[in-house]
């Protein structure tokens, strides 16, 4: 190198402060070796389309679990920003008028529960308390919409739920209950969350919705089984509680309600009839949020709750490939924190004390917001969803050289890279086709297309970002065009760039960590690096380096990689800087 080469660094320089995840290499650009001859040529298999939840089980051995918890504690120490104002407001509806309606709904539910709390008086006998509670519940329900399609509780069920959660909300009301015993808190927390969900679909008669936006889009409920190992997980780890989302449908809407469900449900099995489904036990493919319960608010216990929240959220990312971020709750006795986990942040709110009216209102408002807010505010990616007609998942991409509002939809065939960490780039790779799997046999344009989805650190506006991988890959594709000696050795750019979502004004904006958190929260985070949601479609799909079968094959691969590397430097003025195992794919020819 003569020093005059205009080299561009594809991967950013690491900071001097080592992040917990930096011990594991992240996936960057892909170099492909295409010169391996074998008597048994092979290509990637694209058989029956793989469900988004059809991942290998999220598994940790005993030693890995111990190491995983230690790693989670290290990550909490690095990423946690506690007592942040406005965390709950991240889940508010973007439309101010709609949010005002939602706030009224939350206030009416809090008033209902406050009235039940007032029924619990010192010295009141069991029979008298039961009578007062039943009367209060009956009176309140008469003011609300009658039970309907989405209600699950009778008046008696509501009474039984109230009896359980009032033990938690009213300290000393039950001598057998200890708010410092986690197992005593579990059923109380479950019942409170499900009680609120029941009232979300039973608004006050004088507060009925007048538009589709004012109708709840989903109910957030708690799985009833607590302190349990999720269904699709191996190992011994048990989570305290988990929440799920159930999408709601309305007869007077077209696709809006199904759009929400198809983005939340992650497996074909989940989209079948509800009969026979196990909704009592958590499943990582469906968990919306993890809840960790501790006996008190001591620093050690709350830190442990955060670490467990981080550790168990790995299972959510591993199984749910359209999760942009994850919500969680950590409880210490009767005090609850709202938490949000993203590519480079773990934020926690101030405590919400459920023994006070103000604390209950804050928590209930947070739960109710989840039922009404737009889908991206739940942490889901609406551009990856299930196609009911073709029975497969689809991935949307912005078209090259056109407005980002112009989308191309690809059909998922296979998932080749899973997001296995809570923090970092969250790199996922999908093998997709231009046609649904059922039609590809009749189509000439199926092709091998790889979509890489990740959250890298970026600098400012997209047009000024010199580290934009899609731009660099486009330069490589253009720079090596016509150089047949490199054909098949590098992925060719199809389209890509920063993904976009709609803001409160209906405008398309870059999907970044700043957009997720909003200005109120972002302004409290100091010099937190900006990360953006990037997606790139490229042609040239290979197999992992570990598929090579001999030392001579490895030599051929490394030779091709270095030859391509030097070609990119010479013709494109780009220096890769990360020729690692994860960044090399092998493709066999038919010789």
């Amino acid at each position: 190198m003569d020093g005059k080469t205009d080299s561009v660094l594809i991967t950013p320089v690491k900071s001097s402060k080592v992040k917990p995840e930096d011990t594991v290499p992240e996936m960057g650009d892909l170099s492909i070796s295409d010169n391996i001859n074998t008597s048994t040529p092979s290509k990637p298999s694209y058989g029956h389309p793989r469900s988004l939840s059809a991942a290998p089980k999220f598994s940790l051995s005993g030693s890995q679990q111990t190491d995983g918890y230690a790693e989670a504690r290290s990550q909490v120490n690095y990423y946690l920003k506690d007592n942040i104002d406005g965390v709950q407001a991240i889940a508010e509806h973007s439309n101010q008028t709609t949010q005002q309606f939602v706030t009224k709904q939350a206030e009416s539910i809090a008033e209902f529960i406050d009235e039940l709390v007032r029924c619990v008086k010192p010295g009141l006998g069991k029979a008298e308390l039961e009578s007062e509670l039943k009367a209060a519940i009956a009176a309140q329900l008469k003011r609300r919409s009658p039970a309907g399609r989405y209600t699950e509780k009778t008046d008696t069920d509501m009474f039984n739920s109230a009896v359980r959660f009032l033990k938690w909300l009213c300290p000393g009301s039950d001598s057998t209950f200890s708010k410092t015993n986690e197992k005593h808190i579990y059923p109380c927390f479950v019942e409170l969350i499900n009680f609120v969900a029941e009232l979300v679909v039973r608004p006050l008669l004088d507060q009925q919705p007048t538009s589709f936006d004012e109708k709840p889009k989903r109910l957030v409920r708690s799985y009833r089984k607590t302190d349990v190992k999720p269904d699709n997980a191996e190992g011994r780890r048990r989570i305290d509680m988990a929440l799920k989302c159930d999408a709601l449908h309305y007869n007077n809407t077209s696709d809006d309600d199904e759009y929400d469900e198809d983005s939340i449900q992650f497996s074909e099995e989940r989209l079948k009839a509800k009969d026979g489904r196990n909704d009592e036990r958590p499943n990582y493919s469906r968990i919306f949020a993890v809840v960790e319960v501790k006996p008190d608010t001591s620093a050690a216990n709350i830190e442990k709750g955060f670490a467990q929240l981080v550790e168990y959220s790995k299972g959510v990312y591993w199984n749910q490939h359209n999760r942009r971020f994850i919500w969680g709750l950590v409880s210490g006795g009767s005090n609850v924190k709202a938490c949000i986990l993203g590519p480079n942040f773990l934020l926690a709110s101030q405590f919400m004390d459920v023994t006070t009216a103000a604390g209950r209102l804050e928590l209930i408002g947070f739960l109710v917001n989840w039922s009404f807010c737009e889908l991206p505010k739940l942490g889901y990616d609406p551009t990856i969803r299930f196609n009911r007609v073709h029975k497969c998942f689809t991935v949307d991409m912005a078209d090259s050289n056109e407005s980002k509002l112009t989308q191309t939809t690809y059909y998922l065939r296979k998932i080749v890279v899973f997001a296995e960490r809570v923090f970092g780039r969250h790199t996922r790779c999908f093998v997709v086709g231009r046609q649904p799997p059922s039609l590809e046999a009749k189509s000439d344009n199926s092709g091998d297309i790889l979509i890489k989805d990740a959250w890298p650190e970026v600098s400012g506006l997209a047009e000024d970002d010199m580290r934009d991988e899609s731009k660099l890959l486009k330069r490589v594709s253009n720079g090596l065009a016509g150089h047949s000696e490199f054909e098949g050795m590098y992925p060719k750019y199809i389209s890509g760039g920063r993904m976009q979502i709609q803001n409160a004004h209906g405008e398309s904006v870059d999907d970044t960590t700043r957009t997720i958190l909003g200005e109120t929260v972002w302004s409290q985070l100091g010099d937190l690096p900006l990360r953006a949601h990037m997606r790139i479609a490229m042609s040239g799909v290979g197999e992992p380096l570990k598929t090579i079968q001999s030392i001579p094959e490895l030599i051929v691969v490394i030779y091709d990689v270095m030859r391509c590397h030097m070609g990119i430097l010479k013709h494109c003025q780009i220096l890769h800087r990360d020729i690692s195992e994860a960044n090399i794919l092998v493709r066999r020819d038919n010789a």
Side-chain angles (χ1 to χ4, degrees), residues 223-225 228-231 238 278-283:
Y223 288 96
R224 292 202 170 275
K225 288 189 179 295
V228 65
K229 184 183 74 174
D231 271 344
R238 304 163 71 89
N278 184 1
D279 273 357
E280 300 302 306
R281 189 183 188 91
N283 184 303

Side-chain angles (χ1 to χ4, degrees), residues 345 455 510-519 522 530-531:
F345 57 80
W455 286 79
D510 289 344
D511 188 11
T512 66
T513 47
R514 185 170 186 167
T515 306
I516 289 171
L517 300 176
E519 292 305 315
W522 185 262
L530 180 69
R531 287 185 180 253

Side-chain angles (χ1 to χ4, degrees), residues 388-458:
R388 294 170 181 241
V389 175
H390 297 293
K391 305 298 181 185
C392 67
F393 285 86
T394 61
V395 182
D396 289 341
M397 283 290 306
D399 282 339
S400 177
N401 300 321
E402 295 187 27
S403 165
K404 289 196 175 186
L405 294 178
T406 303
Q407 301 285 334
T408 295
T409 297
Y410 293 98
Y411 296 85
L412 182 69
R413 300 173 178 178
K414 184 180 180 182
I415 303 163
V416 292
V417 175
F418 296 81
E420 57 184 356
R421 307 181 71 79
V422 176
F423 304 107
R425 291 166 60 98
H426 289 172
T427 299
R428 301 172 172 107
C429 290
F430 311 122
V431 176
V432 300
R434 297 179 186 275
Q435 297 291 331
S438 58
L439 302 180
E440 282 184 344
K442 306 173 185 178
S443 170
D444 294 328
N445 353 314
S446 56
D448 293 350
I449 299 172
L450 183 74
I451 288 181
K452 176 182 174 182
D453 187 278
W455 286 79
E457 288 187 9
V458 298

Side-chain angles (χ1 to χ4, degrees), residues 99-114:
Q99 183 56 40
Q100 289 172 350
F101 175 85
V102 175
T103 299
K104 289 181 180 179
Q105 296 297 312
E107 290 171 348
S108 72
I109 294 173
E111 289 169 5
F112 188 153
I113 293 175
D114 287 348

Side-chain angles (χ1 to χ4, degrees), residues 563-582:
R563 189 155 63 99
C564 185
H565 175 267
M566 294 307 297
I568 291 174
L569 180 60
K570 177 181 179 180
H571 299 290
C572 310
Q573 291 76 53
I574 293 174
L575 180 65
H576 191 293
R577 295 202 323 136
D578 188 19
I579 306 298
S580 60
E581 179 182 357

Side-chain angles (χ1 to χ4, degrees), residues 54-75:
K57 286 188 177 181
F58 180 68
S59 170
L60 292 172
S61 67
S63 61
Q64 285 175 317
Q65 289 179 27
T66 303
D67 294 343
Y69 177 66
E71 180 189 43
R73 289 187 65 179
S74 173
Q75 291 173 330

Side-chain angles (χ1 to χ4, degrees), residues 140-155 198-205 208:
Q140 282 282 348
L141 292 179
K142 283 182 180 179
R143 300 174 55 210
R144 294 179 169 271
S145 298
R149 179 181 176 187
Y150 295 110
T151 53
E152 297 180 346
K153 295 179 181 293
T154 63
D155 286 13
E198 190 76 13
L199 296 178
V200 163
V201 287
R202 299 186 67 176
L204 291 172
L205 294 174
Q208 295 295 304

